[in-house]
Every structure is written in C-alpha cells, then in structure tokens.
Amino acid sequence: LSAAGNEFADTPVTLAWLGLFSYGLQIYFAFSGFSDMAIGLGRMFGFKLKENFRHPYIAHNIGEFWRRCHISMFRWFFVYVFLSMGGSRPARVKVRGVIQRRNHVLRNLVVMWFLIGMWHGIGWNYLYFGIWFFAFSLFEWLISLQRKDTKHPAWHIYVLFVVGASLIFLRCNNSGETLNFLSNLLGVNGNGFHSDLAVALLKENWHVLVPAAVFCTPVGEKAMGWLRRDRSGAAGVVLPVCHVAILVVLAGLSFVFLSRTGYIPFVFR
C-alpha cells in the first residue's frame, strides 16, 4: 500500500493519497514497534527504558509533534545542539567594544535540523527533510505558536499535512521521485482523480487500516486504563487472561501476515 503514488507519473490522486496515508501508518508502527520491543527486552533484563513515541499524530503543532515522536533522538539534538548553541535566548556579543544582545536562533535551528536530516540518512532528500521542518519550526517560533492555544482542529490538520508532506522525502529515492509524488497528490500530472485500484486496496485492507488509524491515537491506552480500574472479584482474574490472549492472537496474526508478504524492505528508501 505505501508504495502507491510514486511508482508511476500518472498515478491517480486517490491512490497517491492512500499510499501516503498508509506509509504514515507504516513508518509510525515500525519505529514505535521497534521502541516497544526494546522497552520489553529491557524489562526482561531489569532495565526500565523510557517511552520513545507518545502518539505523535495527535499533536497540534510541530514542536509538540517532535516532543512525541522519536523523543530520545529529538531531545538529544535539542539539548546538546540547539540549547548548547544558545537556543532561542539572545546572546551577549562584543562588537567594536560595545556589548550587544543578538539572537542566533536562526543559526541554531539550521544546524539542529541539518543534523537531524543527516541522522535519518545521507542524501539530498534527507537534507530536504531537515530543511522542511526547519522552515516550520522557524515559522512557529516567529509567531510564538508554543505560547498560544492550538487545540483548534485546524492546527491538528496543519500538523498532519506538514508531517505527511515530510514523509515524501523519506519515501522517495531522489528529487525527481519526490516531485512526481507531490504532483500526483496535487493532481497536476494529468493523472486523474478516481482510482479503481485504490478502491480495491481499501476493500482488501480496511481491516488493517482502520485499527491502525485508531491505535495510533491514545484510544487503546485509555481503554486499557479503564479496564484496569476494576480488578476486584472475577474481573481481577478474567481481564489479565483476556489481555494476554488478545496479545497472543495479535502476534499470531502478525506472523501470518508477514509470511504472506515475503521480503519487506526498510521503511526508508
């Protein structure tokens, strides 16, 4: 599914958007899953590792998104690069014997996002990925978005579009493919809108896409919290058993899907 949209120049709009939506879910569950596996393995050996993903797709600004996504990676660059270079605080510099206060936030953001882009991989698309988030981080700093109430749904849609567009840089091999994918999304490739293949893929994979879209939000976490409230009597025995049984069934289904799929390349091209 996530390959749809950038394979052909005339991919219809609906198929391109389905591909981008699917890739967004794939990349989230891949990295979040790796992190959860590391947390579980750490617990087995007596280590308690911090959570690395906290439902980033529910964020209402880009700053919040990165405080929820790749938390350890972003925090390392934020603390040891951005803040160590001065962050957004004005610096005292001596110019011709006169002490002046200058803000180097532009330089600090450029360096941080350049390094974050290169952390994801070496190539022009990864550099564009860093530049993309630098531009929106600078925009949010200029309008002091972190200090405003961004709970309006419009801000959430803004984040989804910014993050969704950034995934194109990670999905494509080069600038040509990136422009091709973007053109498919916007329908300026003469590619048409409707796609019978997109409809067929939705019918075939809705049972995966719908739960994935639901569980990348805190719904499952809140449901588990609600179930754990009452552990008295029979519920104290039944609920843990049901919890383990559900996990075993899901693990079994995952192995079945993996065996049917065959070779699965890494999520970055």
Side-chain angles (χ1 to χ4, degrees):
L1 271 172
S2 65
N6 71 322
E7 300 298 335
F8 306 101
D10 58 350
T11 300
V13 173
T14 49
L15 185 58
W17 278 101
L18 177 61
L20 185 61
F21 173 75
S22 302
Y23 184 60
L25 293 175
Q26 178 193 7
I27 202 168
Y28 167 72
F29 283 106
F31 284 104
S32 180
F34 295 155
S35 298
D36 289 341
M37 289 163 63
I39 292 171
L41 289 170
R43 288 283 182 92
M44 292 170 65
F45 290 98
F47 299 102
K48 191 171 183 179
L49 303 177
K50 293 183 178 180
E51 197 163 357
N52 206 29
F53 288 82
R54 294 199 192 104
H55 312 293
Y57 289 149
I58 68 170
H60 288 80
N61 57 65
I62 298 303
E64 182 189 358
F65 173 82
W66 282 105
R67 289 193 297 274
R68 292 175 172 272
C69 181
H70 270 310
I71 297 170
S72 57
M73 180 275 293
F74 179 73
R75 182 161 180 78
W76 192 93
F77 281 106
F78 183 75
V79 172
Y80 294 106
V81 177
F82 182 73
L83 291 184
S84 67
M85 295 177 68
S88 58
R89 300 187 305 274
R92 295 169 62 87
V93 295
K94 194 172 185 179
V95 180
R96 296 178 181 177
V98 180
I99 301 296
Q100 298 181 1
R101 294 174 67 85
R102 291 186 177 179
N103 200 317
H104 297 295
V105 66
L106 181 64
R107 177 202 65 187
N108 301 342
L109 283 173
V110 166
V111 173
M112 182 184 75
W113 283 112
F114 169 79
L115 292 175
I116 289 177
M118 293 299 99
W119 179 90
H120 282 81
I122 303 299
W124 285 108
N125 271 24
Y126 300 110
L127 177 60
Y128 300 150
F129 177 84
I131 293 172
W132 180 258
F133 277 110
F134 156 74
F136 286 97
S137 296
L138 181 62
F139 163 72
E140 293 188 359
W141 177 78
L142 289 172
I143 66 172
S144 301
L145 189 61
Q146 304 293 328
R147 302 174 186 174
K148 296 180 180 179
D149 181 14
T150 58
K151 297 304 179 184
H152 193 280
W155 287 111
H156 184 217
I157 295 171
Y158 148 77
V159 171
L160 290 178
F161 271 100
V162 171
V163 174
S166 74
L167 297 179
I168 300 174
F169 300 118
L170 303 181
R171 183 65 184 84
C172 299
N173 286 316
N174 50 56
S175 302
E177 282 192 7
T178 301
L179 291 174
N180 180 49
F181 200 155
L182 183 59
S183 299
N184 287 336
L185 291 171
L186 299 176
V188 295
N189 253 355
N191 50 329
F193 182 82
H194 177 73
S195 169
D196 291 331
L197 178 58
V199 175
L201 288 171
L202 278 173
K203 288 181 178 179
E204 184 181 345
N205 297 281
W206 68 268
H207 59 286
V208 175
L209 292 173
V210 172
V214 170
F215 287 107
C216 70
T217 70
V219 170
E221 196 174 284
K222 290 181 178 179
M224 289 303 301
W226 178 77
L227 289 173
R228 287 170 180 161
R229 286 180 189 173
D230 184 15
R231 285 293 183 89
S232 59
V237 178
V238 174
L239 289 178
V241 172
C242 290
H243 184 204
V244 173
I246 291 171
L247 292 178
V248 170
V249 170
L250 289 174
L253 289 173
S254 298
F255 284 122
V256 170
F257 278 112
L258 285 172
S259 64
R260 287 173 54 193
T261 305
Y263 171 69
I264 302 175
F266 189 55
V267 288
F268 293 172
R269 277 295 186 90

